[in-house]
Every structure is written in structure tokens, then in C-alpha cells.
Amino acid sequence: MPAQPADSRWFLPLSVRQLVQRLRTWPPSGPRWTLRSSAWILFLALGVAMTVGYFLLPTADAMDLYYQLPGMVAVVAILLGIRLHRPSDARPWVALASGLTLSSLGDWTSVLLSRLGINPFPSVADVFYLGGMLVVVVAIVWLARGRIPGGDRASLLDALIVAVGVALLTWVFLMAPIVSDTTQSLLEIAVALAYPAIDILLLGIMVRLILAPGSHVMAVRLLIGALVAFLLADYPYAFLSLSGGYYNGNIIDAGWMIGAVLWGAAALHPSMARIAEPVQPAEVHFGIWRLGLLAGASLMAPAVLVIEALTGGRIDVPVVATGCVVLFLLVIARLDSVVGQLRTTLDQRRLLETELERRALHDPLTGLANRVLFHDRLEHALCRREGNVAVMFIDLDDFKTVNDAHGHAAGDRVLTAVAESFRSSLRPGDTVARLGGDEFAILLAESPDRYEAGVVAGRLLRAAQVPVNVGGFVYSIGASIGISLAGTASSVDAASALADDLMRDADIAMYVAKGQGKGTFIVFEATEHKEVVRGIELRTDLETAISEEQFELEYQPIIDLESGVVAGVEALVRWRHPTLGLLAPAEFIPLAETTGAIVPLGRWILSQACRHAVAMVPAVKSVTSKGVTTLALPQPEEPEGPYVSVNLSAVQIADPGFADTATEILAASGLAPGRLVLELTETARLDHIAAGTAIHDLRAMGVRLAIDDFGTGFASLSQLRRTPFDILKIDRSFVTAVATDARDEAVVTGILDLARRLEVEVVAEGIEDGVQLARLRAAGCGFGQGFHFAEPMRLPELRTFLREHAGVTDPGFRVRARARRGSLVPDA
């Protein structure tokens, strides 16, 4: 149901008290007040004033004439409401205005005849009045019929039960005396009976409106109020007329007048245009009020018998019996309606549960089984079948290119086509599932062996290449498949564990297939895939390691080859794994880059390295005065002391927030930007917008950049041309052979000559002996690092090392080699 207009909320009375309070503050202030939204409240106030004025008139004749005024004004209000609110179908409202006009004509005719001393019954006044009320009945039914397009059998039966019960009471105490009056003609009796009959009809319509499902807009509430007011006046009038107790100015006149006012107010309310709009169907709830109403109506027949017995009146057995039968049949029909509604509700709930179960166990895009259903079927296959069970894990090759080029809608079309191709390529007893994204799984439960599983895998590889037209391009997606096989399980718990193992093994085999060039399948072998399993286990442990800070930093000094002074240190991260011991970067950095964990890990490394660089400064800078050496801290803005060099992943530099992160870390640690060097491999793509922005911002702060492992990639010269690096680090493979291979020595000499022309520093990595050192010094290399000088060491050892060699001027010094720890490679 549409919401109420904003400018009408001020005028929504929730109670008579609230209405009175708002009338005291009328007109409301602010721009929300308009005639369109406020006319109905004005008319209500006018109607109350007219009703009160009626009872203040001094004579019955004046009351007789004045009484017609509310009805006439109500007709004008209805026509004004039609013009103001423009309902989509104005005909019911025109009919309502016509019915009230006919009723007013009947009243005026009655007044005129009485003034002439003519009081016939029936008369033209009765024709006008009864005709008008019938038109009013038609208008109200017309207005209300669109609210429930499919009908509302429950509320209709409830209204009939109430109407029949009241009709039985009306017949016995009001209509039967009229029929038994032998002094009246048949026409007089018929017309006299028409009045209570119309009242019963209006009562049924009123109950139907009240009990209809859905919320009622204000116009409907006002129509119901008009019917209530009219019936509260009409029934007492009928009984008073029988006894001759009615007179002009009786209090019941207020009911007719207020009813007329409410007709007009309903038409003037903005919601009058929405009366015929369908309401949201809802379940009929048997509240206390509804049950009480139906119970009271159903007990009308015995109530009539009790009243007649107490008053000594004649019991009208045929009428009471007929009323009892009709009420009984209506109650039976109502019970049937309740049962039918309950059955419908149960059927709908069953269908909903079925649909929810289907959605919970199937992929909404492809209609295939999802991970939950696949795992359940796999467990059942392991428990109930003999022989082998095969699981295939399928990942589409280069599917991301479709999404990137044409969007996710195009990717969904490809997935749907591939899923259907998989389904048609399998046997009836096999299960195909979509696990998520572009990953699928196949269950072969009919005792397959390695050969049969391979045949099916080959068929699926061809099925994955189904051509799909996307945006005018025909895509044919390949796939990589991993296969795992196992026998049956001895118990349900064992089947669940074995199912997990099969899924994991198939996933591992798929990664191996990817690594072998894609577009193929691999059967899992525990002995052959041990390293892959270890990598996957490390990937799982990596998240925990970052949160628990299981990493530590070691530093390898970078030596000025001319003076022997420590120019800087390179930070090297190690992972102290709880079970595997100390792991080198090569064992976990690629995993961190693949999973995205390199961003938080890199942030931690950079933060630790900057803090340690500040902590190592006092141990380096010494001041000698009168033979006494003391340590002095540099000023924060001075980039004095050895720099710290931190390896940076291409994933980190492409992260949009990296430059801000580095700025925050430098500020928090107090390290001068000039003492920070960030190392990037030459194979890193720096043409990314975020990477270019980060490099520009970092160099603007004073941070220096270095190319690591220079000479091993394919983009060296183009990187040097595009990116303003400060340091080149010659890869250890060239340094190792510089004393034994003339070609490698020539490469090193060429790099040094290029660096001099570009005015950048050069650091030779992996210097192992004095011969290599001599050749590099002779070629003009400025800096170097390697085991010839020192192994990587922790911060306390580094502080001792820097203190011991603060005054070293011999570039050929060498620290006694220590036992190598764990599986670490030199300066890895």
C-alpha cells in the first residue's frame, strides 16, 4: 500500500483526543499545509459545528429544515474531493454522491408533504430515500471491490454470519411486528420491511470492510465510520417508530448527520484515490475481537429463544429454525474455508521449503549441485559402494580475462555454457557441481580406475572448450583437472574425513596441472606431490603466522668497498615456523604474494626495519674527545648512519595505499627518509598507475629506490629509462663467476659503466672471497655485500658488529664465518 503523502501526516488523527488537540492548533504552520491535504479536516470541523448547531435550534420546524444541511454539504464535498484528488475511477464516488442526493431529495419531499399536511405511506419520499440508499450500497461495494482482486472468501463468510445473526434478531423484534399488522396493505408492509433490510445489507458491507485483510487507508476508515454512525441511528429509530417515541431533535439525529459528514470527509481525504488499489493479501488471524463477533452472531438464534421465553412472546419456530440452519451452513462453510486456507498455507510452505532446500544445495547460476550437496553425495558414495571413488577438481584456464574484458554478465554466460557441457558429458550416475567462481567438481561413483577416470577427464577437457559468443567474440575456455581416487570407508566419520582428503588431493593435483602448462589433467600421487602439499599447508599457516608475528628480521651489512665502512644493511625476513623451523623467504614470499598476505606482511617488515634502523644509529656514530669515545644520536632530520634496505614486492608497490603506509611508518619510527632504501626486482611491473604514483610520492619524501637482482630479467634497460632508481644491485650469479668467467666479468664491467653514466650507485651481491672483492674493486664497484664480510644477523648482533667495525678502514676485512643455520641460503 502506498505511503501517505508527507503533507497529510499532520492531519492523521489517531484518537478523538488527538483530533481535538490538532484542531486547537489549526491551521498548521509551515509549507506542508495545503487545501488538497487539509480539506477533509476542515470539513470534519464544519460537520461537528453543524451537528452541535442543530441541537441549539429553538423549534422543531427549524430543526426539520436544518437537518437536511449536512447531507447536501456532503454531496458538495464528494464532488470537490473528486476534483481535488482525481481518482483513477471516479464513477463509484459519483454514485455515492448520487445516492446521497436522492436521500436528501427524499428528506426534502417528506418535509414538503408534512408542511402541506399530507403524510401518505408509502410516498414519493420513500422512493427517493430507498433508491438513494440502494445506490449508496452499490457505490460502497464498487469502491471496495478492487482492494482484493482475487476475492476474500473468509471475510465474506464472516460478514454473512454476522448479517444473518442480526437479521434473525431484526426479524423477530422489528420486522415480524410489521408483517403481523393486519391494518397495513402489502405495499405498506413491503416498503416498511425494505428499511431494515437495507440496514442489514449495510451492516454486512460494513463488517466486510472491517474484516477485510490488509491495512485500511484513512478514506476507508471514514467510510466505515459513516456506516457505523448511520446504523447507530437507523436501528434505534426503527424501534422508536414502532412505539411512537421518535421526535425531531432526538439524539439519534446526530448519527445521521455525523454519518453524512463522514461521507464527505472520506471523499476529501487524499487517500480516497487509493481506496480501490489492491492490498497485500494476508493470512486471516482469529483475534479476540473477530472471534467474539462471530461467536455473538452464531448465538443469535438461542438468544432469540431465551428472550422470547423470558418475555412470554410467541416463539417463531420456522424463522428461528431457518436462521439456525443458515448459520450452521455458514459456519460449516467458514470451517471449510479455514481448512482450505490451512491446506494452501501448508502447500505453500512445503513448496517454499522445497525451493529453499534446492537453493541451499544447488548453485543458483548453473543449477548444478553446490559444495554442500557434492560433499554429501561423496560421503554416501564412500559409505555405500564397493570399489573406487574418483573426485575431479576442475579450474577453468584464463577465465579472468573474460570478466575483465566483457564484465561479469559475460562471464556468467560462459560458466552456464560450460556447466551444461559438463553435464551432458557425464554418465547418469555421476555428479557435477560448481564449487564457486570458475571451479567445478566431478564425482565418479561407479568404481572407476585410473584409466577410466583419465578417459572421463579427457572428455571433460574437450567439453570445457565449448565455444561461447560473448560481445561478438567467440571464447573457448580451457580447463585444468586434478583427480584423486580412494576406496570405500569403514564408517560415517571415516567417510567424512576421507571425503575431505579426496577434495584436498584433487585440488593439489589441479594446481600441479596448472603448473605444467594448463589444459591437462593430473592424478594425485602423494610421493610426487609432497612439495605441493607442503606449499598448500604453508599457505594455510601463513595467515596465522602474520597474526601471531612468527616472523623475524636479520640484517646483512652493505660495505663501502673503498673505505670498508658499513654504508647500509639489508633487511631479510625469516619465518620461524612452529613445526618446520626457520624458513627462508623463497619458501613463503611467493605464497604471500599469491594470497595477498604480502601486503600486511610487508607492512610489518617495513615497520620493524625502520624501528631497528633508528635503534642501531647510536652504535655507529662515535665522537672522540680527549681519547674518550662516546655515542651521539643524530638529529631526526639528518639521514646519518647506515641506511636500511627493505625488499618490496610488486604487489605492495601496486597497492593504492602503500605510499601513505610508508609515510606513517617513517613518522612513527622517527627514521629519516634518506636512510630508507626500497628494493624492487627488475621484473616488477612499474607501469601500473598506483605503482607510478607511489614511486613519485616516495622519492618526493627522500626515500631511495634500488633495482635488485639486476641483469637477470628482461626489462632492465626499459626500467632504468622510465624509473628514477638510485641504486643497482648486481645479481650474485654474475658476482660468483666474475673471477672465473670472462663473459660474466664483461657483463659486470658493462653494468658498472652504465651505472656511472646514469650516476647511480652499484652494490654487488654475494661476495664470497677476496678474489671476487679485488676484481670488483678494480672494475670500480662502489659497494658490496656477502659472506666475505658478514652473514645475516639479528639486531643485537648487528649492533655489536657495527660497534666493532665503526672505525674499520680496510675494505678487505672479513668476519670469521659462523655455522649456517637451518636451510638458509647465503644472503637470501
Side-chain angles (χ1 to χ4, degrees), residues 553-578:
L553 293 184
E554 293 186 347
Y555 299 91
Q556 187 172 43
I558 300 172
I559 307 299
D560 185 333
L561 300 185
E562 287 298 322
S563 64
V565 173
V566 179
V569 293
E570 180 180 359
L572 304 169
V573 63
R574 316 299 191 201
W575 180 4
R576 193 166 294 279
H577 195 278

Side-chain angles (χ1 to χ4, degrees), residues 591-652:
L591 288 176
E593 291 179 326
T594 302
T595 61
I598 190 65
V599 174
L601 176 58
R603 186 186 304 117
W604 181 86
I605 293 172
L606 184 59
S607 176
Q608 290 289 100
C610 289
R611 290 197 302 107
H612 290 175
V614 172
M616 70 179 66
V617 169
V620 179
K621 185 178 180 182
S622 60
V623 179
T624 303
S625 176
K626 297 181 180 181
V628 179
T629 301
T630 57
L631 300 178
L633 287 171
Q635 297 300 317
E637 66 274 6
E638 295 178 355
E640 298 186 15
Y643 64 82
V644 61
S645 185
V646 180
N647 291 280
L648 201 63
S649 166
V651 178
Q652 287 177 269

Side-chain angles (χ1 to χ4, degrees), residues 98-448:
S98 301
L100 294 178
T101 300
L102 288 174
S103 296
S104 294
L105 286 176
D107 286 333
W108 279 113
T109 302
S110 178
V111 171
L112 179 61
L113 291 176
S114 65
R115 290 293 181 270
L116 296 175
I118 304 174
N119 293 302
F121 180 81
S123 67
V124 178
D126 296 299
V127 175
F128 282 134
Y129 190 80
L130 292 174
M133 292 311 299
L134 287 174
V135 173
V136 168
V137 169
V138 171
I140 297 174
V141 173
W142 198 348
L143 283 170
R145 69 174 184 174
R147 291 177 59 79
I148 310 172
D152 178 28
R153 184 167 179 262
S155 297
L156 179 60
L157 288 173
D158 291 345
L160 286 175
I161 291 172
V162 174
V164 170
V166 174
L168 181 60
L169 195 65
T170 303
W171 173 266
V172 172
F173 297 104
L174 183 61
M175 301 174 76
I178 296 175
V179 174
S180 62
D181 189 353
T182 57
T183 62
Q184 295 184 353
S185 65
L186 290 177
L187 179 60
E188 292 174 335
I189 292 174
V191 172
L193 292 177
Y195 284 98
I198 290 178
D199 286 343
I200 294 171
L201 187 59
L202 287 174
L203 175 67
I205 294 172
M206 181 190 72
V207 174
R208 177 77 168 82
L209 285 175
I210 293 174
L211 299 182
S215 59
H216 299 130
V217 296
M218 181 55 70
V220 173
R221 297 177 186 176
L222 292 171
L223 287 178
I224 293 173
L227 289 171
V228 170
F230 182 84
L231 292 173
L232 287 178
D234 229 29
Y235 267 103
Y237 170 76
F239 285 102
L240 289 174
S241 296
L242 285 177
S243 61
Y246 174 76
Y247 56 88
N248 281 349
N250 195 297
I251 188 63
I252 63 173
D253 291 346
W256 288 312
M257 299 179 75
I258 291 297
V261 172
L262 291 174
W263 296 123
L268 288 173
H269 195 276
S271 63
M272 64 87 70
R274 304 196 305 276
I275 281 185
E277 291 181 355
V279 297
Q280 186 69 27
E283 242 179 89
V284 175
H285 296 284
F286 284 93
I288 295 178
W289 189 87
R290 190 182 193 117
L291 285 174
L293 183 65
L294 294 178
S298 303
L299 293 174
M300 284 296 181
V304 168
L305 294 176
V306 171
I307 294 173
E308 288 185 333
L310 293 176
T311 58
R314 183 180 65 86
I315 298 177
D316 197 340
V317 176
V319 172
V320 174
T322 302
C324 288
V325 171
V326 172
L327 283 173
F328 175 77
L329 293 176
L330 288 173
V331 170
I332 293 298
R334 185 66 178 92
L335 289 175
D336 178 70
S337 176
V338 171
V339 172
Q341 187 179 35
L342 180 60
R343 186 182 299 112
T344 301
T345 301
L346 291 176
D347 290 341
Q348 291 175 345
R349 184 167 298 177
R350 191 177 300 109
L351 290 174
L352 180 60
E353 290 175 352
T354 303
E355 177 63 17
L356 289 175
E357 182 179 359
R358 189 192 69 80
R359 292 188 180 184
L361 299 177
H362 290 80
D363 174 54
L365 176 64
T366 62
L368 301 178
N370 63 8
R371 185 183 297 272
V372 176
L373 180 57
F374 183 84
H375 198 279
D376 181 70
R377 290 185 178 178
L378 177 56
E379 289 184 8
H380 278 75
L382 292 171
C383 285
R384 300 179 182 178
R385 298 183 182 273
E386 297 180 357
N388 290 332
V389 172
V391 171
M392 299 183 181
F393 199 100
I394 306 176
D395 187 83
L396 301 185
D397 296 333
D398 303 319
F399 175 74
K400 186 175 182 294
T401 58
V402 179
N403 282 338
D404 293 344
H406 302 284
H408 289 280
D412 289 346
R413 290 200 296 274
V414 172
L415 289 173
T416 303
V418 171
E420 184 57 36
S421 183
F422 284 162
R423 196 197 324 255
S424 61
S425 301
L426 295 174
R427 303 166 299 183
D430 300 331
T431 299
V432 55
R434 180 183 176 220
L435 304 183
D438 60 341
E439 295 180 342
F440 295 84
I442 307 293
L443 169 61
L444 306 180
E446 299 294 337
S447 303

Side-chain angles (χ1 to χ4, degrees), residues 443-480:
L443 169 61
L444 306 180
E446 299 294 337
S447 303
D449 54 19
R450 291 172 63 94
Y451 174 77
E452 186 178 358
V455 171
V456 176
R459 191 160 65 241
L460 291 171
L461 288 175
R462 294 189 295 273
Q465 297 175 355
V466 57
V468 182
N469 191 316
V470 177
F473 297 91
V474 177
Y475 278 91
S476 184
I477 300 295
S480 299

